[in-house]
Amino acid sequence: EKFSGHPLRVIERFIQEHFRETLTIKDIGERFFMNPVYLGQAFMKRNGVGIIEYIHDLRINEAKRMLCESDETIRLIAEQIGYVHYHHFLKEFEKRVSDKPAVFRQLSKA
């Protein structure tokens, strides 16, 4: 693929396409030949949010969409968007949505 634009823009796009996978700053750094510490700081400076938070934001936005549009179980949705541990998904969801996924789903269908 051709790298167009700012390297961090390329990395952002990569994360947007791969957020369902297990991504670490170390993995991303290795893939784009960047020191992970530098990458983490540069990303934070550019986006106002760290890479890991950014990944959780993308995942939870996807979860919200899936909760509204599908009847998949919440546990399955959590798995499909990249959470290995269900309780971790719940924690990240409630932190961003201030409702439990089941409640969010009910309200969205009301």
Side-chain angles (χ1 to χ4, degrees):
E1 60 183 326
K2 185 173 158 292
F3 293 134
S4 58
H6 196 287
L8 285 171
R9 180 73 199 96
V10 176
I11 289 168
E12 240 172 87
R13 201 158 45 238
F14 173 80
I15 295 171
Q16 288 163 4
E17 288 165 10
H18 296 271
F19 69 84
R20 293 173 193 81
E21 298 158 30
T22 305
L23 292 178
T24 67
I25 296 178
K26 186 174 170 290
D27 294 336
I28 298 167
E30 280 172 6
R31 187 185 172 95
F32 291 97
F33 310 103
M34 282 173 102
N35 173 297
V37 176
Y38 169 77
L39 169 59
Q41 291 168 343
F43 191 95
M44 178 71 142
K45 201 168 153 186
R46 181 176 157 94
N47 295 285
V49 60
I51 287 182
I52 300 305
E53 285 300 298
Y54 185 78
I55 291 169
H56 287 306
D57 289 345
L58 290 170
R59 286 178 174 178
I60 299 308
N61 282 334
E62 180 69 357
K64 285 160 68 176
R65 189 188 66 75
M66 291 174 78
L67 286 164
C68 297
E69 294 176 10
S70 82
D71 293 316
E72 298 277 21
T73 67
I74 296 168
R75 198 171 280 273
L76 193 63
I77 288 173
E79 275 172 32
Q80 287 174 348
I81 58 172
Y83 288 100
V84 180
H85 302 290
Y86 185 60
H87 68 270
H88 189 195
F89 163 71
L90 291 176
K91 194 181 111 211
E92 296 297 340
F93 190 93
E94 287 178 44
K95 184 166 130 188
R96 287 164 176 78
V97 186
S98 63
D99 258 329
K100 287 181 164 46
V103 175
F104 177 84
R105 175 178 258 170
Q106 277 172 329
L107 294 172
S108 76
K109 301 208 164 160

